[in-house]
Amino acid sequence: MKTYFETKFEALVIDFGYEEALAKIIDILLFQSSTPSILKNKVNKFTDFWSSDFIVILPKRHLSNENFVFALGQYIRLSPSSIDACTLKALLKIDEESVINAIRLSGTIANPNHHSWHILNEIANQVESSRFDGFLDTVRYIQTQYQERINAYKDIKKQLQLDQITAMVFSSFYAYEYLMSDTDCVKIPYQMDTNDNVSVQDIWSVFHEIITSSNIEKNKLTEKKLGQTLKAKMSPFLFSENLNHSLMKQYEDFKRLVAHKIEINLYEDQVISAYCYKLSTNYYLENGQLKLETEAHDSDFFKEKFGVLSAYWQWRGVNTLTDNPHFERLDRGENLESNALALAKTQGIILQLYEVYGIEKAVFEQDYDLCALVFTMLLSQAHYVHDFLETFKKLRDSNNQHAFSTLAKLMIDGVLIGQNRMPITFATQKEKAIKMSDWIIEGSGNQKVKDMSRILDFWSKDLRDGSDAFYTEKSFYKIDDYLFALPWMSAQKNFSTATINTFRKMYKNRASLKSETDLMENNLAGLLAKSKGRVYSQYEPSESGVGEIDAIVVTDDKVLIIELKSSYIKSNVKEIYEYRNFVLKKAAYQLARKTTYVRDIFLPSLGLDSAKFSIHSWIVDTTLEFDHGYIDGFLKISFEELLIVLDKHEMFITDMLTEDIAVKNNLDLATLIQNIESDNFWKTNLALIDPNSDFSQTFMMKN
């Protein structure tokens, strides 16, 4: 019996010929939105495709095509049972490199127990291929090294038997002892690879993994139990009383645990994921050692570009500060500057959410006031910066003392003024809600406390709940009635990223997502209207198979077509490349069809001769990965770059620093296309920005 794809391919050959049929059949497999009814409840579509007769006679030039390689990788990964050995052997004879790359792209190197490895090892025993054998040897070495790292980590973790409160205490000790610098990367105790620095953000993630996976308190947490734990685990280090060898060893073992977990995470990201998803990265064995071979490539300047965009939204927040209803309520005392900066950052985040992501309301399982949801946390952050981070540094630098002595001084000074300045802060949720309720504008006293309690609930990770919520999104840990914070980490949190990822990653299936997408597209249309062209937004072709076109702009001799995509901010190599392979490549496929439609049908329907038009098609996306690169022939840019340029803010850094704001005219479409495709915005602004500068603070000081 013929497979679905055999039947489909034969029909395509009749209509288009063999070569074009192969191109179309792989597009149908990868990018067709719905699963054909014939495949439902029958077989995985990748299994059906790679079981087709035309597969084993594929010309090498087609098998080596990126889409075929990726599709083969999905077959290897998603096949519900064993992959077909005969098919793989036939493909190996056609092109070894393509099969090897497909295995890499499958991502199964991270899972040595995946059922495909049994078949792949059998194939290696049946075919003579030194290249394939060498690849499998490299994979086995990587998997063995990875497992050894995991086993070492598990051994230390089992020996430590940390409870969650002790894990928080030790994490905070570690942060104050080793991470209190102004750099993003540091050397750490017991570091496996001493040649590299470790990202502070990576260390935060490890703290979170250790805390959430440590032993849970069996009984309800009480004030007495909490006091006993802090007295036993925290006080000895701060006051040198009852500090015995066993406790010191436990803290040292905690440092080893952090180092081992860092090594595991880096190995997953920089070795396994890089080898799986970045085909320009190649590992091989030489004299029993793993060697790296990678193609040279230009820097993508991701960090620097992220800094420019962060500066932009803070600048926008400062410029619209007085528009926020909280402005008149700000404390005009000594905290005015820090509170105003927190409100400016809040305003910037709200503008970013609305203008880029189409988000104007905080609707989750419950409804929240968006401004209060963000502003209360940024005020809390300002408190941690001023009363913990800055105060600790001043005490440490003035007395040249060890971190623990400085922490003891910080804690005692806090007691004298009625503040908890311990290495970890804690309070019952009710106490914290009452204390923070004045930061909410509307409602009675009781209503404000209730609203603040809901906000605290929203930003807390319940340690008795096994659901996955990263500390980069949450601000507090919760155990029963108590909320805990790690002050140093709270002070350093990027709340823009946390808020965006809360909406787009943690709550990605919200009911309001469709209306937000519509608002994004309307916002895009409003921006493009500034380019002096006729704008067609959310255009629905009458022809089937084309799909809605997010935006078309037409002038006398140019056409711009945009495919708009939105996502969260990525944190690792796997997320980045999966987004490229599953979302951006599909966007390019869709854009190709829409570009053809605009050229062949849409323009003629307006009485226009397509031959007289220069047609430009862009993927516009809310992420910075692959920025100004080409995805299957289409330029990919960030929505924020387009927004800044069309709002005539492209020189915002110069305007802010010089206070000499020139009058700018709207761009015509030809100039816009020239500026974007020539990368003018980034070339200009990357030369100006200092990634270590806080531009919102600079602007506020000038004003």
Side-chain angles (χ1 to χ4, degrees):
M1 181 177 178
K2 291 183 179 179
T3 69
Y4 164 80
F5 285 101
E6 280 176 346
T7 303
K8 189 73 175 176
F9 180 70
E10 289 174 359
L12 289 171
V13 170
I14 293 171
D15 291 339
F16 301 100
Y18 180 76
E19 292 291 323
E20 193 170 347
L22 282 175
K24 289 183 176 295
I25 198 70
I26 194 66
D27 284 347
I28 291 170
L29 172 68
L30 291 178
F31 305 124
Q32 185 171 279
S33 297
S34 57
T35 302
S37 57
I38 193 173
L39 295 180
K40 289 181 179 177
N41 302 319
K42 177 188 175 186
V43 67
N44 175 284
K45 69 175 183 177
F46 290 99
T47 301
D48 185 272
F49 181 88
W50 291 100
S51 300
S52 302
D53 286 343
F54 64 85
I55 288 300
V56 294
I57 56 170
L58 271 176
K60 181 177 179 178
R61 64 182 179 279
H62 285 283
L63 180 56
S64 62
N65 176 277
E66 182 182 16
N67 286 345
F68 273 93
V69 173
F70 179 70
L72 181 57
Q74 294 308 295
Y75 167 56
I76 293 168
R77 181 172 74 92
L78 296 173
S79 179
S81 56
S82 295
I83 54 179
D84 185 73
C86 292
T87 298
L88 264 292
K89 284 192 285 186
L91 295 176
L92 271 171
K93 290 181 180 178
I94 298 170
D95 186 9
E96 291 176 312
E97 182 178 5
S98 294
V99 175
I100 289 170
N101 286 341
I103 297 169
R104 290 170 59 179
L105 287 171
S106 74
T108 57
I109 291 174
N111 181 12
N113 296 318
H114 192 277
H115 55 72
S116 293
W117 289 112
H118 174 69
I119 299 297
L120 293 171
N121 286 320
E122 279 190 358
I123 292 172
N125 293 328
Q126 297 169 6
V127 300
E128 291 188 9
S129 170
S130 58
R131 186 169 187 178
F132 190 61
D133 290 342
F135 165 69
L136 290 183
D137 287 341
T138 300
V139 168
R140 294 186 195 104
Y141 181 89
I142 289 173
Q143 291 173 338
T144 299
Q145 290 290 308
Y146 181 54
Q147 192 59 51
E148 287 177 359
R149 287 163 169 76
I150 291 175
N151 291 341
Y153 173 77
K154 287 181 176 179
D155 288 344
I156 298 174
K157 192 171 187 294
K158 183 178 180 180
Q159 179 183 336
L160 263 173
Q161 289 297 316
L162 288 175
D163 63 87
Q164 292 177 327
I165 296 173
T166 301
M168 281 189 268
V169 170
F170 284 177
S171 294
S172 202
F173 279 170
Y174 190 111
Y176 279 110
E177 193 172 5
Y178 299 107
L179 307 182
M180 292 292 287
S181 64
D182 296 323
T183 60
D184 294 330
C185 295
V186 296
K187 301 287 187 184
I188 63 172
Y190 307 107
Q191 188 172 325
M192 305 291 121
D193 186 350
T194 57
N195 294 319
D196 295 328
N197 289 330
V198 179
S199 162
V200 171
Q201 182 65 55
D202 290 340
I203 300 171
W204 292 0
S205 298
V206 166
F207 287 166
H208 174 76
E209 292 177 76
I210 292 173
I211 291 167
T212 54
S213 64
S214 291
N215 297 331
I216 301 172
E217 177 67 32
K218 293 181 180 179
N219 301 315
K220 184 176 181 179
L221 183 62
T222 63
E223 184 178 357
K224 180 180 179 181
K225 175 61 178 175
L226 178 56
Q228 289 173 341
T229 303
L230 296 177
K231 182 178 180 181
K233 302 296 185 180
M234 184 178 73
S235 295
F237 288 97
L238 300 186
F239 304 109
S240 300
E241 295 180 2
N242 303 315
L243 182 58
N244 54 47
H245 174 75
S246 176
L247 188 55
M248 291 171 64
K249 182 179 183 303
Q250 189 179 36
Y251 180 46
E252 287 301 311
D253 285 344
F254 173 81
K255 296 176 190 178
R256 291 187 177 90
L257 189 71
V258 171
H260 278 277
K261 187 59 179 170
I262 286 286
E263 176 66 14
I264 289 170
N265 291 353
L266 290 178
Y267 202 82
E268 286 177 347
D269 195 53
Q270 297 180 6
V271 177
I272 295 177
S273 290
Y275 191 44
C276 286
Y277 304 111
K278 296 172 67 174
L279 295 182
S280 60
T281 296
N282 187 43
Y283 284 99
Y284 62 95
L285 290 179
E286 185 177 279
N287 299 324
Q289 296 296 314
L290 192 65
K291 299 292 183 179
L292 171 63
E293 182 180 79
T294 184
E295 295 178 9
H297 63 280
D298 295 333
S299 172
D300 60 6
F301 296 105
F302 178 89
K303 179 182 175 182
E304 292 82 0
K305 289 183 176 182
F306 192 83
V308 170
L309 297 184
S310 297
Y312 173 73
W313 292 111
Q314 290 186 24
W315 176 73
R316 288 285 304 278
V318 170
N319 279 329
T320 57
L321 184 59
T322 55
D323 297 341
N324 194 298
H326 283 84
F327 180 72
E328 295 300 325
R329 294 282 305 277
L330 288 178
D331 178 5
R332 292 306 198 256
E334 64 174 328
N335 295 324
L336 174 61
E337 184 178 318
S338 62
N339 290 348
L341 179 56
L343 185 57
K345 289 181 177 179
T346 300
Q347 188 71 7
I349 290 171
I350 289 172
L351 288 169
Q352 184 182 22
L353 289 174
Y354 177 77
E355 294 182 14
V356 178
Y357 295 90
I359 296 168
E360 54 184 341
K361 295 180 180 179
V363 181
F364 303 97
E365 289 90 350
Q366 304 176 46
D367 292 1
Y368 298 86
D369 178 274
L370 179 57
C371 182
L373 194 67
V374 178
F375 183 46
T376 52
M377 293 300 100
L378 281 165
L379 280 176
S380 178
Q381 182 179 64
H383 159 65
Y384 286 123
V385 169
H386 181 269
D387 293 335
F388 288 82
L389 192 65
E390 292 178 353
T391 305
F392 174 87
K393 287 182 177 180
K394 288 177 183 177
L395 288 171
R396 179 196 62 189
D397 296 343
S398 63
N399 297 313
N400 195 26
Q401 292 179 324
H402 186 272
F404 293 154
S405 298
T406 307
L407 283 172
K409 172 69 173 168
L410 182 70
M411 178 177 165
I412 293 170
D413 288 352
V415 171
L416 294 176
I417 59 173
Q419 288 191 4
N420 176 355
R421 292 188 181 176
M422 293 182 183
I424 62 170
T425 64
F426 54 88
T428 66
Q429 184 166 336
K430 182 178 180 180
E431 291 169 343
K432 199 166 186 68
I434 292 171
K435 188 174 181 180
M436 297 173 66
S437 61
D438 284 345
W439 296 347
I440 295 178
I441 292 180
E442 297 180 352
S444 65
N446 286 337
Q447 186 60 48
K448 289 180 180 179
V449 172
K450 287 181 181 178
D451 289 344
M452 193 65 240
S453 184
R454 290 197 309 125
I455 290 172
L456 289 170
D457 237 358
F458 181 85
W459 290 114
S460 297
K461 161 65 180 172
D462 190 340
L463 291 179
R464 294 196 184 278
D465 178 8
S467 66
D468 184 27
F470 289 102
Y471 196 77
T472 49
E473 277 77 48
K474 300 295 185 177
S475 292
F476 306 104
Y477 290 119
K478 182 176 182 179
I479 304 178
D480 301 324
D481 298 332
Y482 285 87
L483 297 182
F484 296 84
L486 306 184
W488 188 83
M489 291 169 64
S490 297
Q492 297 293 316
K493 180 188 291 291
N494 184 319
F495 249 97
S496 172
T497 297
T499 306
I500 291 167
N501 282 4
T502 295
F503 278 92
R504 289 299 192 188
K505 185 177 182 181
M506 293 181 63
Y507 293 93
K508 61 183 178 180
N509 296 319
R510 287 169 294 112
S512 58
L513 191 59
K514 175 63 171 66
S515 63
E516 291 168 8
T517 301
D518 288 340
L519 183 53
M520 279 182 66
E521 293 170 350
N522 288 331
N523 288 345
L524 174 64
L527 289 169
L528 292 170
K530 300 178 181 183
S531 66
K532 301 180 181 179
R534 287 171 287 168
V535 179
Y536 302 83
S537 177
Q538 298 174 303
Y539 184 85
E540 282 281 4
S542 57
E543 289 75 2
S544 63
V546 179
E548 179 187 277
I549 303 175
D550 296 327
I552 309 170
V553 189
V554 182
T555 62
D556 291 340
D557 61 351
K558 292 189 182 297
V559 177
L560 175 63
I561 307 163
I562 288 178
E563 179 74 11
L564 184 62
K565 294 297 178 184
S566 177
S567 183
Y568 60 90
I569 297 170
K570 311 297 185 292
S571 61
N572 57 58
V573 169
K574 182 179 180 182
E575 286 182 346
I576 290 168
Y577 277 85
E578 285 189 341
Y579 187 67
R580 175 192 181 273
N581 293 334
F582 288 104
V583 178
L584 295 181
K585 282 183 67 65
K586 184 171 182 178
Y589 165 75
Q590 293 169 326
L591 195 50
R593 296 165 68 87
K594 294 170 185 180
T595 300
T596 300
Y597 168 82
V598 168
R599 183 192 65 218
D600 295 347
I601 299 176
F602 177 75
L603 289 176
S605 75
L606 299 178
L608 301 172
D609 182 357
S610 299
K612 296 180 179 179
F613 286 82
S614 170
I615 299 178
H616 302 258
S617 304
W618 299 341
I619 301 169
V620 177
D621 181 60
T622 58
T623 65
L624 276 172
E625 282 81 18
F626 311 105
D627 188 51
H628 277 267
Y630 284 83
I631 307 294
D632 291 343
F634 293 100
L635 179 67
K636 185 269 181 193
I637 65 167
S638 74
F639 191 4
E640 286 167 279
E641 176 191 354
L642 189 59
L643 181 152
I644 293 169
V645 171
L646 285 170
D647 271 343
K648 299 179 289 182
H649 291 157
E650 64 270 25
M651 297 299 292
F652 79 96
I653 295 177
T654 301
D655 293 344
M656 178 182 63
L657 296 177
T658 64
E659 300 181 12
D660 182 20
I661 301 177
V663 176
K664 306 177 184 74
N665 297 318
N666 285 341
L667 293 175
D668 58 61
L669 185 63
T671 304
L672 172 69
I673 290 171
Q674 169 65 23
N675 285 351
I676 294 295
E677 295 186 351
S678 299
D679 204 9
N680 287 346
F681 171 75
W682 290 119
K683 288 177 181 177
T684 300
N685 285 283
L686 289 178
L688 295 173
I689 191 170
D690 176 356
N692 298 315
S693 295
D694 186 336
F695 280 83
S696 61
Q697 186 130 20
T698 301
F699 188 78
M700 290 186 70
M701 290 174 67
K702 286 178 174 287
N703 293 270

